[in-house]
């Protein structure tokens, strides 16, 4: 059983990844895949940096973890700074990751209901730093943000 203190500690890994992504000129969304109390891999949104359509924070963390046996994923928790979109939620469901800890869902509500409907435990931390990071980014880069979430330009 993971404690609130451990969740905060592992969310900090995702937050550091998000900061790195923004420093690279990308979108400040980070993820961390944690298994048995250890960070298996971190990742951050690298759509801009790699010219990628799919390197969101969560999918990048999965990529960085490399191939794993199914038994590893079924013991994992995905930490993410922002509510996971349908693509990232699909990856979480595909690999049967049973638990997701979300930094915030105020600036963007992803597919949390989809995750819950498949039995995934979803915890929203409502973290002030995650909220501020996304609010600042969306205000500064609305076109890039809309691209990232698949919305046409306004």
């Amino acid at each position: 059983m993971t404690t609130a203190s451990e969740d905060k500690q592992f969310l900090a890994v995702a937050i550091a990844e998000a900061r790195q992504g923004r420093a690279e000129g990308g979108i400040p969304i980070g993820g961390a895949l944690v298994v048995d109390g250890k960070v298996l891999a971190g990742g951050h949104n690298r759509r801009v940096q790699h010219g990628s359509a799919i390197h969101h924070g969560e999918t990048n963390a999965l990529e960085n973890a490399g191939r794993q046996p199914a038994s590893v994923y079924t013991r994992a928790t995905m930490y993410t700074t922002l509510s996971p979109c349908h693509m990232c939620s699909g990856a979480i469901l595909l690999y049967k990751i049973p638990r997701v800890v979300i930094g915030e869902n105020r600036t963007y509500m992803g597919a949390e209901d989809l995750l819950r409907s498949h039995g995934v435990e979803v915890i929203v931390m409502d973290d002030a730093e995650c909220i501020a990071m996304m609010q600042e980014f969306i205000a500064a880069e609305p076109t890039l943000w809309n691209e990232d979430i698949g919305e046409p330009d306004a």
Side-chain angles (χ1 to χ4, degrees), residues 6-135:
E6 290 169 321
D7 281 343
K8 190 172 174 99
Q9 169 193 343
F10 294 129
L11 181 61
V13 174
I15 291 170
E17 288 281 348
R19 282 194 212 111
Q20 181 179 345
R22 187 64 180 137
E24 294 170 357
I27 298 162
I29 302 170
L33 188 65
V34 175
V35 180
D36 300 332
K38 294 185 173 88
V39 177
L40 184 60
H44 54 274
N45 187 305
R46 289 194 168 164
R47 290 186 64 254
V48 172
Q49 299 91 314
H50 290 178
S52 169
I54 61 170
H55 273 272
H56 283 197
E58 301 90 339
T59 56
N60 189 246
L62 287 166
E63 174 72 13
N64 291 340
R67 286 181 59 196
Q68 299 295 326
S71 61
V72 169
Y73 297 114
T74 61
R75 299 191 320 270
T77 297
M78 177 63 76
Y79 289 83
T80 177
T81 58
L82 186 65
S83 184
C85 71
H86 279 78
M87 178 177 66
C88 294
S89 294
I92 290 163
L93 293 175
L94 176 69
Y95 291 108
K96 297 178 178 53
I97 296 170
R99 187 168 183 268
V100 178
V101 176
I102 299 167
E104 69 104 349
N105 62 5
R106 291 186 191 192
T107 59
Y108 177 78
M109 174 59 76
E112 294 175 28
D113 288 342
L114 176 64
L115 292 170
R116 287 185 186 99
S117 76
H118 286 269
V120 176
E121 179 185 8
V122 176
I123 297 166
V124 180
M125 302 288 284
D126 204 30
D127 181 84
E129 184 174 359
C130 291
I131 295 165
M133 216 174 358
M134 285 310 299
Q135 286 176 339

Side-chain angles (χ1 to χ4, degrees), residues 131-154:
I131 295 165
M133 216 174 358
M134 285 310 299
Q135 286 176 339
E136 290 166 13
F137 171 75
I138 292 167
E141 303 267 6
T143 301
L144 184 54
W145 171 241
N146 284 332
E147 176 190 317
D148 195 60
I149 59 172
E151 292 291 328
D153 290 334

